[in-house]
Amino acid sequence: MAAEGIQYVELSGELRKFLSSPPMLETSLGAFTQAVYSGGSAKLGSLIAGPPGLLIGCIVGSVAGYATSRDYDSAIIILCRLDEDSRNRVINELISILIDAGALLSAADVKPEEFVEALNMFATREGWKKALSMILAVMKRNAH
């Protein structure tokens, strides 16, 4: 049963294919494993020792999750490995969903220049830079 006021989007096409691909399933499993270790340890630490236990549990759980999970690639890296046509279809579908949900610039009342500056500051790795550049280029094309 859907929660009142929440709209769900049915994924289709290239985005669904991308999200259900073996590399993305491996990424989801790895991220989930790390989150369980981190979150579970943080919760246990906070129950035992309050706020300091939360901090210690979070650190210990994060290290344990990192040490025990298999190596996996981020979604951005997997996206960058797609051929250009598939990558653009995934990005366009994702942007369409975000626009429909009202989650882009107008909803946050952020100027485009500030948005680009924040993304550039976040993108320190080459894979992130390439993917964000592609996403911003598609957004710019779609805005005109």
Side-chain angles (χ1 to χ4, degrees), residues 29-31 33-34 37 64-72:
L29 179 62
T33 301
Q34 287 181 297
Y37 273 99
Y66 179 78
T68 59
S69 70
R70 291 184 290 197
D71 196 23
Y72 60 90

Side-chain angles (χ1 to χ4, degrees), residues 7-144:
Q7 294 182 352
Y8 294 92
V9 175
E10 182 69 32
L11 296 180
S12 61
E14 203 68 33
L15 184 58
R16 173 179 274 208
K17 183 178 157 187
F18 172 72
L19 292 174
S20 61
S21 68
M24 277 303 299
L25 294 175
E26 186 71 24
T27 293
S28 296
L29 179 62
F32 180 76
T33 301
Q34 287 181 297
V36 167
Y37 273 99
S38 182
S41 295
K43 178 68 173 181
L44 183 61
S46 69
L47 289 172
I48 293 170
L54 172 75
L55 177 62
I56 293 167
C58 195
I59 293 168
V60 169
S62 294
V63 170
Y66 179 78
T68 59
S69 70
R70 291 184 290 197
D71 196 23
Y72 60 90
D73 292 322
S74 69
I76 298 295
I77 290 172
I78 297 168
L79 184 64
C80 288
R81 288 184 183 145
L82 294 176
D83 63 87
E84 186 176 355
D85 190 45
S86 295
R87 185 174 49 238
N88 287 338
R89 286 195 307 266
V90 168
I91 290 169
N92 283 329
E93 193 172 338
L94 185 58
I95 289 171
S96 175
I97 290 168
L98 291 174
I99 289 171
D100 289 347
L104 285 179
L105 301 176
S106 60
D109 197 28
V110 175
K111 296 177 185 167
E113 302 81 27
E114 294 170 337
F115 182 70
V116 171
E117 183 180 331
L119 286 178
N120 283 330
M121 287 174 43
F122 178 74
T124 57
R125 293 170 60 195
E126 195 57 39
W128 287 100
K129 287 180 185 178
K130 183 177 178 181
L132 289 173
S133 295
M134 290 184 296
I135 291 169
L136 290 172
V138 171
M139 288 173 65
K140 186 175 181 181
R141 272 198 314 268
N142 290 344
H144 296 292

